[in-house]
Amino acid sequence: MNMNSGKTAIVTGASSGIGRASAEALVRAGFTVFGTSRRKANGPDGVTMLICDVTDGEAVAALVSTVLAQTGRIDLLVNNAGVGLLGGAEESSVAQVQALFDVNLFGVIRMTNAVLPSMRRRGEGRIINIGSVLGLVPAPYSAYYSAVKHALEGYSESLDHEVRAFNIRVSVIEPAFVRTVFDQNGIAPDSLLREYDRARAGLEALLRDVMPVADRPEVVAQVVVKAATDANPRRRYTAGKAARQVSLLRRFAPAGIFDKSLRKQFRLPV
Ligand SMILES: NC(=O)c1ccc[n+]([C@@H]2O[C@H](COP(=O)([O-])OP(=O)(O)OC[C@H]3O[C@@H](n4cnc5c(N)ncnc54)[C@H](OP(=O)(O)O)[C@@H]3O)[C@@H](O)[C@H]2O)c1
């Protein structure tokens, strides 16, 4: 008998990319999987898709009640739903930044607070938050995305300390670039300034170089399954070779050398 059979997982944003691949991999690993999308969507085989916008507290509460009514338990929550916002920090209104945080951080908090009571009652559970290497390394032209992924790192680590007493663990998965439609789904800056055209061109050149060789979502999905099933889950998992390299360089390379190499990658004057 599969050791995960009978276990229930919720994966937010399972209609595409990393969430879809993770939902599929969790089904293969034996979980009963509920995936979400903001609209009626077809998920991978074996995944029950439910509608939920993580910015809507009532929708989040209804989703969790539906899953609990059907299975009586939630063993795993994968907070994957997210959007991007690339542009100069000066090029977005505060309203746009709030919209980004509403999905990528407050959405995670809404979902987490909704599942924690039932996990605490059962005395077990796992929460996996999809972060990013930009939660480790703030990069130019992604000030707010870097900020929200750094916030997610801090939130996740604090929470992990708090809920470990109830046999609940919280992990963050840190991918680098992943080949999904994430860049097309992102929020476009609402106040473009031509002073940043050069930086924009640098970012576009970087994306042209890295996207064709970026990791496939299945690489991240494998790490999600590992974090979901490890006997002693870690607080952080990098996903893919590039993410491992960034994480190691950030920790061990001298700050000046790291700074120069990052600026060079983004075609900024060093
Ligand atoms: N792609 C990358 O390079 C990369 C790298 C590192 C980390 N990540 C992170 O990985 C996660 C998934 O990204 P992806 O690359 O797989 O992007 P994606 O293909 O665009 O998928 C995003 C998913 O999030 C859902 N979503 C967006 N806004 C939502 C909301 N308000 N409520 C509920 N669901 C919402 C979308 O569902 P619907 O549109 O169907 O509602 C979709 O299923 C994100 O957290 C992202 O920050 C991505």
Side-chain angles (χ1 to χ4, degrees), residues 13 15-16 18 37-38 53-54 80 131 145 149 176 178 180 185:
S15 61
S16 80
I18 293 169
S37 164
R38 283 165 295 178
D53 185 329
V54 297
N80 162 79
Y145 185 74
K149 291 298 188 186
V178 183
T180 68
N185 288 342

Side-chain angles (χ1 to χ4, degrees), residues 96-112:
Q96 281 206 307
V97 183
Q98 286 171 330
L100 178 78
F101 272 69
D102 207 17
V103 182
N104 292 15
L105 182 66
F106 302 130
V108 170
I109 295 171
R110 284 184 196 97
M111 284 297 308
T112 301

Side-chain angles (χ1 to χ4, degrees), residues 113 115-125 163 166 168:
N113 286 348
V115 302
L116 276 176
S118 73
M119 286 184 175
R120 268 192 288 101
R121 269 195 301 276
R122 289 188 51 250
E124 60 180 330
V163 296
F166 311 110
I168 300 168

